[in-house]
C-alpha cells in the first residue's frame, strides 16, 4: 500500500516538535537529514531510470527491469526508517511499520517472486505512484529537518496523494491479482499436509486475503490523509509559509 | 440526603434543601456538580452530600437520575484529562473545596470479568471439541464423526479440555477480581483470540492427516507429565495469590513461597503462574508436535511477559524489601 500516510505522523512530529520540546538532538538530526537526502536521491534515480528506459524503448512495457535493482534497494532501505522513527516518535512506528511492510511485501513476495507478473503494466502503475510519492515525501522531510520547507513541497506532499494513493493501490491490487494463477499452479510458498510439524499454508488463499484487507484499510488511510491535509494546508493564512 | 436534579427542565438551578430530622454532629455537607467531560454541560447537581461518601455512593446517586448509566459505566474525574476516580475514594479526602466538580464520561456497556472469562473459556473448549469429534463440513465428508487412530490425539483433547475446565473453576472459585468490569469491545476481541486460536490448533491436531510426534510414545508421555506438573503449579500459584487477600486488612504484602513445592518458584519469579502457563503450553506443543501450537504458545508468552514485567515493576515500587533475585517470569533471565 502506498506509504503516503506513513510520513504524516512524522511530518506532524516535525511540525510540532519544535513547539513542544527540543526534538531530536543535533546528531540524530544529522543522521535523519543524510537518510532523507539519500532516499530522495535514490527515488530520483528510479524516476530517471524509468524515463530513460521509456525513451529508449518507445513503450511503457517491461520498464520494471530497468529499475529493478534500485527499486529493491531503496524500498527495502525504508526498513531503516522504522529504526530511526522508533527512537524519536515511537507512537508512529506501528502505522509506518505496517506501511513499509506492505511495500516490501509487494516488492519481494509478489513482484520479485512471481516472474510472470513483472511484465504487467500494473507494476509500472504502482512503481510510478511510489516513485513520485517518495521523492516528494523524502524531500519534504529533508527540508523540514533543515527548517526551510518551501510551501510548494508541503502542498505537493499533502495534495498529490489524492491521485497517487488510489493509483498505487490499483497497481498493487492488479499485480497481486495477476500473480494468483501462477501461485496456484506452482504452489509457491505453500506447505501441505501431511508433514512433521502438522502445519499448512496456502499462499494463494493468503494473497486473496491480503487483497480483501485493502477494503477496510485503504479508506481509513486515505481519509486520514485527507484530514491531515485540511489541518496542515487549511491554516496557511495563520502561519508563515516557511516552517 | 441529597437529590440529583437533571438540568434540562429550566435555565435556573433548582435546589432543594432538606433539613436533617435528627441533630447531626457538626458536618459540613458537600455539593457535587457533575459535568459532561465532552460537552461541558452540567448533568447533575447533588446537594447535601455526606463528606464521608465514596465515589461509589456518588455514582449510585447519579445513576438514579440517569438509569441508562449504571455505576460500572461511569467514569468520574476531577479534571477532564485527569485520573479516573476510584469507587472507594472518599469525598472529603479529595483535593476539592466543599463544592466538588466532577467530569463524567460514559465508558460504554460493561461486562463483568466473570462473564468475559466464561465466554472466552467455554468458547475455546467447545470449539476444540467440534474438531475432535470431526463434525461434518470441517474435514472432508468421508471423515465425518470418525476418530483418530492416534492415542496422542485423544490425550491432547483431554489436556485441552481439562485446561479450560480448570480455568472455568478458577474463575468461579479462586480468582478475586480487583476491577469489576471490562468494556464490551474487549470481550469481542478476546473471544476472537481464544476461539480463533482454539479452532486453528484443533484443526491440525484432529486432522485425518495428522502426523504423530517423531519420538513417539516417549515424547508424548514426557510432555504429558510436564503438562500436568505445570497445570498443578499454575493452580497452586492461583490459590496462594487468593490467600494473600483473605485477611481483608489494608496490609499489603507480596506473595511468598509456602510449604507447597510448586510455590517455591516464587523464590525466582514474581509471576510463577505465568511461568507455569507457558510451561504447560510448551508441553502441549511438544506433545502434539504441532507448529500452530508453538505459535500460540509464543503469542501467549509475549503477552504474559508484558503482564509479568508490569506486575514485577509494581511490586518493586511498592515494597522496599522485595527480593532482588526475583525476575518477572523466567528465573534468572527476565
Amino acid at each position: 500500500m502506498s506509504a503516503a500516510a506513513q510520513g504524516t505522523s512524522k511530518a506532524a512530529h516535525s511540525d510540532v516538535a519544535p513547539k513542544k520540546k527540543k526534538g531530536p538532538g543535533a546528531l540524530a538530526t544529522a543522521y535523519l537529514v543524510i537518510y532523507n537526502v539519500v532516499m530522495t536521491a535514490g527515488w530520483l534515480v528510479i524516476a530517471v531510470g524509468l524515463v530513460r528506459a521509456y525513451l529508449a524503448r518507445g513503450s511503457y512495457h517491461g520498464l520494471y527491469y530497468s529499475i529493478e535493482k534500485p527499486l529493491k534497494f531503496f524500498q527495502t532501505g525504508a526498513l531503516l526508517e522504522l529504526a530511526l522513527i522508533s527512537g524519536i516518535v515511537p507512537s508512529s512506528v506501528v502505522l509506518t511499520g505496517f506501511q513499509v511492510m506492505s511495500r516490501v511485501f509487494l516488492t519481494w513476495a509478489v513482484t520479485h517472486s512471481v516472474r510472470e507478473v513483472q511484465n504487467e503494466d500494473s507494476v509500472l502503475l504502482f512503481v510510478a505512484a511510489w516513485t513520485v510519492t517518495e521523492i516528494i515525501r523524502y524531500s519534504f522531510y529533508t527540508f523540514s529537518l533543515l527548517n526551510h520547507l518551501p510551501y510548494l513541497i508541503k502542498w505537493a506532499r499533502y495534495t498529490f496523494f489524492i491521485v497517487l494513493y488510489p493509483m498505487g493501490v490499483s497497481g498493487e491490487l492488479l499485480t497481486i491479482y495477476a500473480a494468483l494463477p501462477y501461485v496456484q499452479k506452482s504452489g509457491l510458498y505453500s506447505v501441505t499436509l501431511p508433514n512433521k510439524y502438522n502445519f499448512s499454508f496456502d499462499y494463494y488463499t493468503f494473497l486473496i486475503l491480503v487483497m480483501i484487507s485493502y477494503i477496510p484499510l485503504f479508506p481509513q488511510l486515505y481519509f486520514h490523509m485527507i484530514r491531515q491535509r485540511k489541518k496542515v494546508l487549511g491554516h496557511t493564512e495563520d502561519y508563515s509559509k516557511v516552517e | 440526603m441529597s437529590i440529583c436534579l437533571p438540568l434540562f427542565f429550566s435555565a435556573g438551578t433548582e435546589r432543594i434543601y432538606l433539613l436533617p430530622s435528627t441533630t447531626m454532629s457538626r458536618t459540613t455537607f458537600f455539593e457535587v456538580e457533575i459535568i459532561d467531560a465532552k460537552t461541558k454541560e452540567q448533568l447533575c447537581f447533588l446537594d447535601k452530600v455526606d463528606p464521608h461518601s465514596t465515589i461509589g455512593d456518588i455514582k449510585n446517586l447519579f445513576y438514579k437520575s440517569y438509569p441508562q448509566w449504571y455505576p460500572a459505566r461511569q467514569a468520574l474525574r476531577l479534571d477532564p484529562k485527569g485520573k479516573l476516580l476510584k469507587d472507594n475514594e472518599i469525598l472529603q479526602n479529595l483535593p476539592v473545596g466543599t463544592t466538588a466538580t466532577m467530569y463524567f464520561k460514559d465508558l460504554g456497556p460493561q461486562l463483568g470479568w466473570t462473564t468475559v472469562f466464561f465466554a472466552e473459556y467455554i468458547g475455546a473448549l467447545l470449539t476444540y471439541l467440534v474438531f475432535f469429534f470431526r463434525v461434518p463440513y470441517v474435514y472432508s465428508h468421508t471423515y465425518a464423526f470418525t476418530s483418530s487412530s492416534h492415542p496422542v490425539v485423544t490425550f491432547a483433547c483431554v489436556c485441552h479440555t481439562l485446561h479450560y475446565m480448570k480455568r472455568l473453576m478458577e474463575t468461579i472459585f479462586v480468582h478475586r477480581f480487583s476491577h469489576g468490569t471490562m468494556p464490551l469491545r474487549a470481550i469481542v476481541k478476546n473471544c476472537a483470540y481464544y476461539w480463533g486460536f482454539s479452532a486453528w490448533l484443533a484443526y491440525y491436531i484432529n486432522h485425518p492427516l495428522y502426523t504423530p510426534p517423531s519420538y513417539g510414545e516417549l515424547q508424548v508421555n514426557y510432555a504429558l507429565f510436564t503438562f500436568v506438573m505445570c497445570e498443578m503449579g499454575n493452580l497452586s500459584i492461583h490459590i496462594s495469590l487468593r490467600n494473600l487477600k483473605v485477611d481483608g486488612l489494608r496490609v499489603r504484602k507480596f506473595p511468598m513461597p509456602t510449604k507447597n513445592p510448586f510455590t517455591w518458584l516464587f523464590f525466582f519469579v514474581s509471576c510463577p503462574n505465568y511461568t507455569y502457563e507457558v510451561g504447560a503450553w510448551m508441553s502441549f506443543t511438544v506433545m502434539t508436535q504441532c507448529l500452530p501450537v508453538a505459535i500460540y504458545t509464543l503469542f501467549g508468552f509475549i503477552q504474559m511477559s508484558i503482564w509479568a514485567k508490569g506486575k514485577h515493576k509494581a511490586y518493586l515500587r511498592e515494597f522496599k524489601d522485595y527480593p532482588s533475585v526475583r525476575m518477572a517470569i523466567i528465573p534468572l533471565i527476565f
Side-chain angles (χ1 to χ4, degrees), chain B residues 201-326:
Chain B
L201 307 181
Y203 173 77
Y204 289 106
I205 298 172
N206 299 292
H207 200 284
L209 296 176
Y210 171 76
T211 311
S214 309
Y215 296 98
E217 257 190 63
L218 182 67
Q219 183 171 339
V220 173
N221 294 341
Y222 181 69
L224 189 53
F225 174 74
T226 56
F227 178 83
V228 171
M229 289 291 115
C230 287
E231 290 289 341
M232 289 184 358
N234 180 269
L235 179 61
S236 306
I237 303 301
H238 284 155
I239 291 174
S240 83
L241 287 173
R242 171 195 169 85
N243 290 339
L244 268 186
K245 295 187 183 177
V246 163
D247 42 28
L249 302 166
R250 299 307 280 163
V251 176
R252 311 243 329 148
K253 41 184 184 161
F254 58 85
M256 292 289 279
T258 66
K259 291 205 192 69
N260 180 344
F262 286 115
T263 64
W264 297 351
L265 199 47
F266 271 121
F267 282 120
F268 298 104
V269 289
S270 296
C271 301
N273 49 321
Y274 295 143
T275 317
Y276 282 123
E277 181 76 11
V278 174
W281 283 102
M282 277 172 62
S283 307
F284 194 68
T285 306
V286 170
M287 190 172 87
T288 55
Q289 198 168 298
C290 180
L291 185 59
V293 182
I295 294 172
Y296 180 60
T297 307
L298 180 65
F299 275 44
F301 172 65
I302 292 172
Q303 177 63 83
M304 287 189 277
S305 297
I306 295 172
W307 290 337
K309 268 254 165 273
K311 196 89 187 119
H312 184 69
K313 286 206 174 91
Y315 282 147
L316 286 171
R317 263 199 314 263
E318 189 170 350
F319 303 104
K320 297 297 166 235
D321 56 339
Y322 199 73
S324 54
V325 76
R326 280 198 200 182

Side-chain angles (χ1 to χ4, degrees), chain B residues 98-118:
Chain B
T98 50
T99 305
T101 302
M102 295 187 189
Y103 292 89
F104 163 79
K105 184 167 169 253
D106 179 18
L107 294 170
Q110 298 284 304
L111 286 159
W113 276 108
T114 316
T115 316
V116 174
F117 277 19
F118 252 70

Side-chain angles (χ1 to χ4, degrees), chain B residues 133-190:
Chain B
F133 290 112
R134 294 187 179 160
V135 163
Y137 296 107
V138 169
Y139 302 111
S140 155
H141 63 270
T142 46
Y143 295 107
F145 293 124
T146 56
S147 55
S148 170
S149 54
H150 308 293
V152 65
V153 173
T154 312
F155 291 152
C157 183
V158 170
C159 285
H160 189 269
T161 306
L162 287 179
H163 175 80
Y164 283 103
M165 279 187 178
K166 169 181 154 293
R167 288 213 199 178
L168 285 163
M169 291 294 116
E170 285 170 344
T171 306
I172 302 171
F173 298 111
V174 180
H175 293 316
R176 293 163 184 247
F177 301 108
S178 42
H179 301 288
T181 63
M182 168 190 254
L184 187 62
R185 185 165 301 158
I187 197 181
V188 174
K189 199 175 52 131
N190 287 5

